[in-house]
Amino acid sequence: MPISSRSAEVSDAICEYGIGQPSQFLESEGVTYGHYSERVKRPIRRIEVPKSRVVLILELANGLGLNPAGKAADGLKHHAFVSGLSQRPILTEHCGESKGIEIELTVLTAYELFGPVTDSACSLISLEDVWGKHINQLIEQIIQMTTWEERFSLIDNVLSERLSASTHSGRPEGSWAWHQ
């Protein structure tokens, strides 16, 4: 499972981003993923622009504060969430250290993994609300692993199992159109 990584030190920040190689099955489902880490000496707040894909975040450090544009912040630190399609940006913030995995999914794959919850007008969904407390165990397992290859292998297994066991499937013509 090859991984392409880049690191940078800019003034008071140390940043790393890497791209993983999903299994052939997940790649055929339109899944892409990468890892990130950022360490700075001050809190960071940034605007995440909308994407044309559903994004699943597994935050392995201190959690992220989330504030969809136009809504009040909930004051919580989020460790596992799905950001559905939206026309508005999301304000994210962390205390100076952030480390995690970002998984991008096609709309169809997200529907198979999470059901119709990703079709809702709410652009942020707690993964615990969809997959239950199991997600906390998964994050703990990922944190205990020492390499990104191990972490991505576990992600491959979990996503492949969940897709194979899914009871949600889109209409065949939607799948056909998406793959054109």
Side-chain angles (χ1 to χ4, degrees), residues 68-121:
K71 295 187 178 182
D74 60 14
L76 301 175
K77 296 295 180 190
H78 300 270
H79 289 275
F81 61 93
V82 177
S83 177
L85 300 181
S86 175
Q87 295 179 348
R88 295 191 164 158
I90 296 171
L91 184 67
T92 63
E93 53 192 348
H94 62 79
C95 64
E97 182 177 3
S98 180
K99 176 180 180 179
I101 297 173
E102 179 175 315
I103 303 166
E104 291 193 13
L105 310 164
T106 65
V107 173
L108 293 173
T109 302
Y111 181 80
E112 290 175 11
L113 284 170
F114 311 119
V117 71
T118 54
D119 292 342
S120 72

Side-chain angles (χ1 to χ4, degrees), residues 11-113:
S11 66
D12 66 345
I14 300 172
C15 305
E16 180 182 1
Y17 184 80
I19 300 171
Q21 178 65 48
S23 68
Q24 190 173 4
F25 170 67
L26 291 178
E27 197 169 32
S28 74
E29 294 290 322
V31 175
T32 61
Y33 50 61
H35 68 86
Y36 60 87
S37 66
E38 179 175 52
R39 232 180 328 178
V40 296
K41 296 178 181 173
R42 58 185 166 70
I44 294 292
R45 180 180 290 166
R46 69 171 49 92
I47 295 175
E48 303 287 347
V49 297
K51 293 187 176 188
S52 61
R53 296 168 57 89
V54 175
V55 178
L56 187 161
I57 298 290
L58 300 174
E59 172 62 30
L60 308 176
N62 300 310
L64 294 173
L66 303 173
N67 183 12
K71 295 187 178 182
D74 60 14
L76 301 175
K77 296 295 180 190
H78 300 270
H79 289 275
F81 61 93
V82 177
S83 177
L85 300 181
S86 175
Q87 295 179 348
R88 295 191 164 158
I90 296 171
L91 184 67
T92 63
E93 53 192 348
H94 62 79
C95 64
E97 182 177 3
S98 180
K99 176 180 180 179
I101 297 173
E102 179 175 315
I103 303 166
E104 291 193 13
L105 310 164
T106 65
V107 173
L108 293 173
T109 302
Y111 181 80
E112 290 175 11
L113 284 170

Side-chain angles (χ1 to χ4, degrees), residues 55-59 66 76-83 113-114 117-118 124-140 158 162:
V55 178
L56 187 161
I57 298 290
L58 300 174
E59 172 62 30
L66 303 173
L76 301 175
K77 296 295 180 190
H78 300 270
H79 289 275
F81 61 93
V82 177
S83 177
L113 284 170
F114 311 119
V117 71
T118 54
L124 290 173
I125 301 134
S126 166
L127 207 49
E128 189 174 322
D129 291 345
V130 182
W131 283 356
K133 299 271 184 203
H134 168 74
I135 192 62
N136 298 326
Q137 295 167 339
L138 176 63
I139 289 174
E140 285 304 316
V158 169
R162 289 203 172 261

Side-chain angles (χ1 to χ4, degrees), residues 58 60 101 133-147 150-152 154-155 157-158 161:
L58 300 174
L60 308 176
I101 297 173
K133 299 271 184 203
H134 168 74
I135 192 62
N136 298 326
Q137 295 167 339
L138 176 63
I139 289 174
E140 285 304 316
Q141 281 182 287
I142 292 170
I143 289 170
Q144 297 302 317
M145 294 176 164
T146 57
T147 68
E150 290 175 310
R151 294 174 180 128
F152 286 145
L154 178 60
I155 295 294
N157 291 336
V158 169
E161 287 173 13

